[in-house]
Amino acid sequence: MSRIHKLDSVVIDQIAAGEVVERPASVVKEMVENAIDAGATRIEVSLEEGGARKIEVRDNGSGIAPEDLLLAVTSHATSKLSVPSDLEAIASLGFRGEALASIASVARLRVVSRTPECRAGTALEVNFGRIGEPHEASSPKGTRFLVEDLFAELPARRKFMKRPSTEAAHAQAWVERLALVHEGIGFRFEHDGKLTFEVHPEDDLESRCAAVFGKGLAKNMVEIESQGDPLSCSARIGPPESARRDARRVHLFLNGRWVRDASLLRAVREGVKEFVPIGHYPTLFLALHIHPNRVDVNVHPQKTEVRFRDERIVFGTVVNTLRRGLASAPWATRAVGAIGSSAMQETRSFPAPSWQRADDLQGESISVEKLPDGVAPFLPMEVAEEDRGKGQFLSVANTFLFRAVAGGVEIIDQHALHERVNLEELRKEVQRGQVIMQPMLVPALVDLSRTELDLLLTKAETFLKLGVDIEAFGETTLAIRGVPARLQRLHPEKLVRDLLDIAGSFREASPDQIQEEMLFSMSCRGAVMAGDHLDATALEDLIKRGAHLPQDRTCAHGRPVRVFLSIEDLERAFYRR
Ligand code: ADP
Ligand code: MG
């Protein structure tokens, strides 16, 4: 074994580079962040061969003073922090003073920069860690970085690079993220001479969303704001049909920094779960502003992870802001041809976006008068003997309720509708503090372990607010003495299991959160299931209750309550179009 010795500074920088410079996209991210920190209003990025050959970043920011240029490429040199306490309230995107040195140790770097005070610019070359002499060079005001032959001397790293188009896409993704949140700055991204992304300094958030998500989607995104202390939050969220299984369309920002934080992502899922199917993430732009001393961004070399001082406040704010905003979104309001004959009248003026086709139908309103010739407002339907008396609904497989409405056919999922009805009604009662409880003639008894029983009893007060009255009945038995009157289908044993799950997984949660969770679970448990036969009265009752909901597009789990097949859809199915 060799003796222990100190590593030379180039090797140290190359090791550090491993953490910061993973691929061309990381170079782009660090350099664009530097340009933003330097107050630039125009930032241009151009790559060749996915960045393996060349990465160029130009800005019109403050520039680097000639005497600082050497320091800028030296590790642990930064202009953004000076005393240790600065670390407690980081307001800039950079602060580690490591990026340029790291990049310069694994590539050929050329910097040319000019501050407003200088008449000429200064240039400096660094060749895989070997630093040259600063010299005069002509330069516009601002800074230009040129990075060539990234990882050329580090075959191990180079091997991990993907196809140029993939690397370029990752790099562009960083430019898009930063462009979304930094209004006032123009961004351009070019790959192999082709311009693939551009926003102008004067472009507002909607134009930026359009550039990133596409025009059609951006137009349908809903704006959500909440101003608060210590936290304010502004968001744009896309309609349910733009949700995806991966979180690639979720853009979370903290004080202008794009972050990927597990607890924030959980808050997002929690906040949108009524509107987005389980296991999906919405299209979302969400920018949080919090005083820098309330958050620690110095957790991870790439600075994409953060730690909040008041995690619960942040979590709660995000959840509530999203919920509140979503509740008033156009796609959360009542569907076309909403059920019940009085609602029929409303279709005259209602816009008619259907759940999966909001895009095509946005803004168009279908009125009874506008129906194509020869199509009656109610398609004649053969109604089976057993379904007589169910009004205009045809129940299929004891699950789906079909009905002709203006402009097409509406299909309701009976469980989803009932669940939503329960949720809305119960929530209203709870908010007014007047849940009607049905005392049980004979309390239902459920055997539990000692710990389970204790756990449930600690939450008894919260449960009672929701109309569930529990008490201990001996050492290991729980007695349920009452359940909400409107949830007659609640099965006591299943309810208790759910309560245990909630009490267990939300130990730290506030009573409000537990209450929300309970509402969800009770609404589902108290709903008719797919396959349950509903007699005419039960069906009518469900339909009637469903006709006056503040929102009834999706069930409490984000699945659609109703689906609309337009006449156009039907015509297509029969090759009439
Ligand atoms: P950090 O951003 O953490 O300070 P970097 O290694 O990224 O560390 O940059 C080192 C220093 O170089 C910065 O603190 C800044 O003073 C200067 N610098 C880097 N890029 C630019 C730029 N585009 N414009 C002006 N100054 C820059
Ligand atoms: Mg930096």
Side-chain angles (χ1 to χ4, degrees):
M1 267 245 285
S2 353
R3 301 282 306 275
I4 298 177
H5 60 277
K6 279 236 170 196
L7 291 172
D8 87 53
S9 63
V10 172
V11 180
I12 293 176
D13 286 343
Q14 287 181 344
I15 291 173
E19 293 184 322
V20 185
V21 191
E22 209 183 320
R23 61 197 318 174
S26 357
V27 174
V28 169
K29 170 200 180 251
E30 293 295 336
M31 300 223 165
V32 172
E33 287 189 346
N34 279 344
I36 295 170
D37 281 344
T41 56
R42 280 180 198 280
I43 302 174
E44 296 176 6
V45 180
S46 92
L47 264 60
E48 277 175 26
E49 289 175 25
R53 226 184 89 78
K54 191 197 91 175
I55 301 169
E56 188 178 348
V57 179
R58 270 182 296 179
D59 70 57
N60 63 351
S62 63
I64 305 173
E67 61 276 19
D68 284 346
L69 205 52
L70 269 176
L71 265 181
V73 299
T74 309
S75 49
H76 313 300
T78 177
S79 56
K80 301 167 194 176
L81 290 183
S82 47
V83 291
S85 62
D86 287 349
L87 259 184
E88 282 164 31
I90 293 167
S92 53
L93 296 173
F95 57 87
R96 301 170 59 96
E98 228 168 32
L100 288 186
S102 296
I103 294 164
S105 74
V106 295
R108 233 179 291 286
L109 174 76
R110 178 180 158 85
V111 197
V112 192
S113 189
R114 182 161 77 83
T115 60
E117 299 79 42
C118 293
R119 275 207 270 125
T122 314
L124 177 66
E125 283 84 26
V126 190
N127 214 332
F128 291 90
R130 295 175 289 275
I131 304 178
E133 285 291 325
H135 54 91
E136 214 180 277
S138 77
S139 166
K141 221 182 68 192
T143 306
R144 170 173 166 243
F145 284 101
L146 187 65
V147 176
E148 288 175 303
D149 301 328
L150 182 67
F151 300 142
E153 291 187 6
L154 294 92
R157 276 270 145 177
R158 188 114 191 168
K159 265 206 315 249
F160 283 100
M161 300 230 303
K162 300 272 184 344
R163 278 183 305 154
S165 58
T166 309
E167 294 298 340
H170 281 281
Q172 181 170 333
W174 267 111
V175 176
E176 292 179 0
R177 289 165 186 169
L178 291 163
L180 268 178
V181 76
H182 288 282
E183 280 184 59
I185 305 181
F187 293 82
R188 274 171 75 93
F189 183 89
E190 262 180 41
H191 183 221
D192 288 339
K194 241 177 68 191
L195 179 69
T196 50
F197 177 79
E198 181 169 32
V199 295
H200 301 285
E202 64 278 9
D203 283 344
D204 61 5
L205 182 55
E206 183 172 333
S207 321
R208 285 164 197 260
C209 284
V212 174
F213 303 117
K215 263 205 190 106
L217 182 47
K219 210 172 53 201
N220 288 326
M221 289 176 88
V222 167
E223 193 179 333
I224 307 175
E225 301 281 335
S226 93
Q227 299 295 329
D229 193 31
L231 182 68
S232 58
C233 175
S234 86
R236 297 269 168 138
I237 187 162
E241 64 269 21
S242 70
R244 289 211 178 169
R245 285 202 176 270
D246 58 65
R248 247 179 287 171
R249 280 206 191 143
V250 176
H251 292 275
L252 306 177
F253 299 90
L254 178 73
N255 296 344
R257 186 192 305 279
W258 185 91
V259 292
R260 173 105 305 175
D261 178 78
S263 72
L264 279 181
L265 272 180
R266 235 183 305 122
V268 166
R269 288 177 67 153
E270 185 66 28
V272 306
K273 72 178 177 191
E274 281 185 60
F275 299 87
V276 169
I278 294 179
H280 285 64
Y281 290 91
T283 302
L284 176 68
F285 163 88
L286 187 133
L288 292 171
H289 290 276
I290 189 167
H291 190 277
N293 72 8
R294 298 274 190 151
V295 55
D296 187 1
V297 288
N298 187 20
V299 182
H300 188 264
Q302 291 172 9
K303 299 167 291 187
T304 50
E305 284 168 32
V306 289
R307 223 173 268 142
F308 295 103
R309 271 212 210 154
D310 341 73
E311 182 144 359
R312 268 175 60 172
I313 299 181
V314 175
F315 191 92
T317 307
V318 171
V319 173
N320 291 332
T321 307
L322 289 175
R323 278 202 186 135
R324 214 166 1 88
L326 281 170
S328 58
W331 14 271
T333 48
R334 234 153 357 119
V336 63
I339 3 186
S341 54
S342 66
M344 224 14 244
Q345 300 298 317
E346 295 173 40
T347 59
R348 287 164 194 265
S349 55
F350 255 47
S354 70
W355 190 81
Q356 342 89 302
R357 299 171 24 88
D359 270 356
D360 327 5
L361 291 171
Q362 261 304 316
E364 202 183 308
S365 84
I366 293 185
S367 62
V368 177
E369 294 78 20
K370 252 177 65 184
L371 282 174
D373 286 343
V375 181
F378 294 94
L379 294 179
M381 269 197 283
E382 210 57 66
V383 181
E385 180 71 23
E386 51 162 334
D387 293 313
R388 292 253 164 82
K390 285 187 183 175
Q392 300 124 335
F393 286 89
L394 178 68
S395 166
V396 174
N398 283 325
T399 301
F400 302 110
L401 311 175
F402 278 67
R403 181 195 184 198
V405 293
V409 178
E410 180 183 58
I411 310 165
I412 292 174
D413 176 318
Q414 68 181 33
H415 170 73
L417 176 60
H418 199 186
E419 186 177 310
R420 171 57 70 183
V421 165
N422 285 342
L423 180 66
E424 297 296 340
E425 291 180 349
L426 201 59
R427 192 186 264 157
K428 213 195 267 163
E429 288 185 3
V430 172
Q431 277 161 0
R432 290 188 188 143
Q434 41 180 237
V435 180
I436 305 156
M437 193 173 68
Q438 170 93 58
M440 291 200 169
L441 278 180
V442 183
L445 301 181
V446 182
D447 286 326
L448 296 172
S449 77
R450 187 70 204 251
T451 352
E452 289 174 331
L453 181 62
D454 287 347
L455 179 59
L456 285 184
L457 292 175
T458 60
K459 311 277 185 213
E461 213 173 300
T462 309
F463 295 161
L464 189 59
K465 271 202 210 125
L466 282 116
V468 178
D469 187 6
I470 58 168
E471 83 184 5
F473 186 82
E475 298 267 288
T476 57
T477 305
L478 182 82
I480 303 175
R481 301 172 51 87
V483 292
R486 63 174 62 262
L487 303 184
Q488 286 152 13
R489 284 171 182 263
L490 272 184
H491 186 285
E493 189 118 10
K494 284 189 185 140
L495 173 67
V496 168
R497 287 289 144 204
D498 281 359
L499 295 186
L500 269 175
D501 275 354
I502 293 168
S505 41
F506 291 84
R507 247 168 237 274
E508 297 298 308
S510 64
D512 277 359
Q513 261 171 289
I514 294 192
Q515 189 172 300
E516 270 298 301
E517 286 306 315
M518 277 189 67
L519 280 175
F520 278 74
S521 119
M522 287 164 56
S523 307
C524 178
R525 291 287 187 211
V528 297
M529 292 293 145
D532 285 353
H533 181 79
L534 297 183
D535 61 24
T537 338
L539 191 57
E540 221 163 80
D541 179 54
L542 174 60
I543 298 299
K544 225 191 286 150
R545 285 159 73 193
H548 302 288
L549 297 174
Q551 93 96 340
D552 70 346
R553 279 315 183 70
T554 53
C555 75
H557 296 105
R559 284 198 306 107
V561 161
R562 61 183 82 241
V563 156
F564 176 73
L565 293 181
S566 68
I567 293 185
E568 213 176 278
D569 295 330
L570 295 173
E571 284 170 348
R572 266 199 217 100
F574 289 97
Y575 299 117
R576 286 178 168 277
R577 270 178 183 261

